[in-house]
Amino acid sequence: MAETQQNQQKFPAVQGGGSLIVAWQVKGKKILVVGGGEVAAGRILNCLNADALVTVISPAARLNPEVAYRVAEKQITHIDRNFEPADLDDPAINMVLVAVDDPAASTTIWKLCKEKRIPANIADVPPECDFYFGSVHRDGPLQIMVSTNGKGPRLASTIRKFIATKLPRDAGSAIETVGRLRVKLRQMAPDPKDGPKRMGWMTSVSDAYSWDEMCGMTDEDMNNLLRYYPSGKVPSIDVLKAMRGNPDVSQLDVFDGSFGFSVGA
């Protein structure tokens, strides 16, 4: 009994009723959108932002201006007619998004998707969804999604906007810098056995610099920073700035006792 109580305090409690929020990679994959109105336009943009291959099935007369624009610009493939069951026979379809003002037709498409094991989302019908679209904040590689599990989409948007106001300035740029540094590090230390060391050092790097410092880091700074990887150390941003144009640390002249050599201001 005592051990059980200790474990209850040690481990997180299960909170049922949620969704498994994941970053679904759909780059280069085919997504079928049924409908061409305002809701479909939002779904289409989300898919294009994820580099998916989007096919829209809808009579041309029912396309809203945004969807019509994307058709004209050849950003999406358009099939000018109503949905037909045979449209799901394409084995390349990875996902179906339905956004039409016809509950009976939507349910029919949902059932067909279930038969073919194709993940589907039926707009505004939570019970007929394998997944939900949340309210997303986007800043470059940074994506933050707020989901109410289909119970309050408008509230999700309000919460998302509030969170966005609390984020550090240029957070996306800082993340881009970290991404480039990780690529350089993996090129320098490609051995899978180095994985734990790479991850540990990158954690130290992320903790060492402010957002502004990370955003201002140049390729030269990153290359100089990587010189510290073998020792597992992370220099201050002032050290990296002092190394610009003069990477020979023995020639720099302001002491930083944490690294055991002289560096310039």
Side-chain angles (χ1 to χ4, degrees):
M1 179 65 71
E3 182 179 354
T4 298
Q5 292 177 340
Q6 289 178 351
N7 286 337
Q8 288 176 341
Q9 296 175 350
K10 179 180 178 181
F11 303 123
V14 175
Q15 299 183 52
S19 297
L20 181 63
I21 297 180
V22 299
W24 199 335
Q25 301 300 297
V26 294
K27 181 177 181 180
K29 296 181 179 179
K30 186 172 183 178
I31 295 179
L32 186 66
V33 178
V34 181
E38 181 179 354
V39 174
R43 300 287 196 259
I44 291 168
L45 179 58
N46 285 333
C47 294
L48 292 177
N49 284 341
D51 300 319
L53 304 177
V54 180
T55 296
V56 175
I57 299 178
S58 173
R62 297 179 189 170
L63 299 181
N64 85 339
E66 180 177 343
V67 179
Y69 164 78
R70 301 201 186 283
V71 171
E73 292 295 312
K74 302 187 184 304
Q75 296 176 0
I76 59 180
T77 299
H78 177 223
I79 299 176
D80 185 8
R81 57 169 171 76
N82 289 319
F83 171 86
E84 297 176 358
D87 291 326
L88 299 181
D89 291 342
D90 184 350
I93 295 175
N94 279 263
M95 180 189 300
V96 173
L97 310 177
V98 181
V100 295
D101 295 326
D102 187 333
S106 295
T107 296
T108 297
I109 298 173
W110 160 254
K111 291 179 179 178
L112 290 170
C113 289
K114 291 293 92 185
E115 292 176 4
K116 294 181 177 295
R117 297 180 177 273
I118 302 173
N121 172 280
I122 313 301
D124 205 30
V125 189
E128 296 181 355
C129 292
D130 291 307
F131 54 91
Y132 302 126
F133 281 86
S135 183
V136 178
H137 170 76
R138 179 76 183 271
D139 180 2
L142 175 63
Q143 290 180 267
I144 299 176
M145 188 185 88
V146 177
S147 172
T148 59
N149 285 297
K151 296 181 179 180
R154 180 60 62 182
L155 184 58
S157 177
T158 300
I159 295 172
R160 182 260 303 168
K161 291 176 182 177
F162 173 78
I163 292 174
T165 65
K166 304 300 179 182
L167 293 173
R169 180 175 58 86
D170 294 327
S173 296
I175 293 170
E176 287 282 11
T177 298
V178 171
R180 293 200 306 274
L181 182 63
R182 288 185 64 189
V183 170
K184 288 176 177 287
L185 176 58
R186 187 173 289 276
Q187 291 172 344
M188 187 179 81
D191 193 326
K193 295 180 181 178
D194 292 331
K197 181 179 179 180
R198 286 197 308 264
M199 289 188 290
W201 189 74
M202 283 301 306
T203 297
S204 298
V205 168
S206 298
D207 292 342
Y209 306 116
S210 69
W211 289 102
D212 287 342
E213 290 171 341
M214 197 72 76
C215 288
M217 198 173 288
T218 66
D219 280 340
E220 181 184 10
D221 293 335
M222 282 188 256
N223 291 334
N224 286 332
L225 174 57
L226 288 168
R227 298 179 65 206
Y228 291 83
Y229 169 72
S231 68
K233 296 178 179 179
V234 178
S236 71
I237 195 66
D238 289 335
V239 170
L240 292 180
K241 288 180 178 179
M243 294 176 71
R244 290 175 181 174
N246 185 13
D248 185 355
V249 295
S250 66
Q251 300 300 312
L252 304 175
D253 55 18
V254 173
F255 179 71
D256 183 328
S258 64
F259 299 103
F261 46 67
S262 297
V263 296

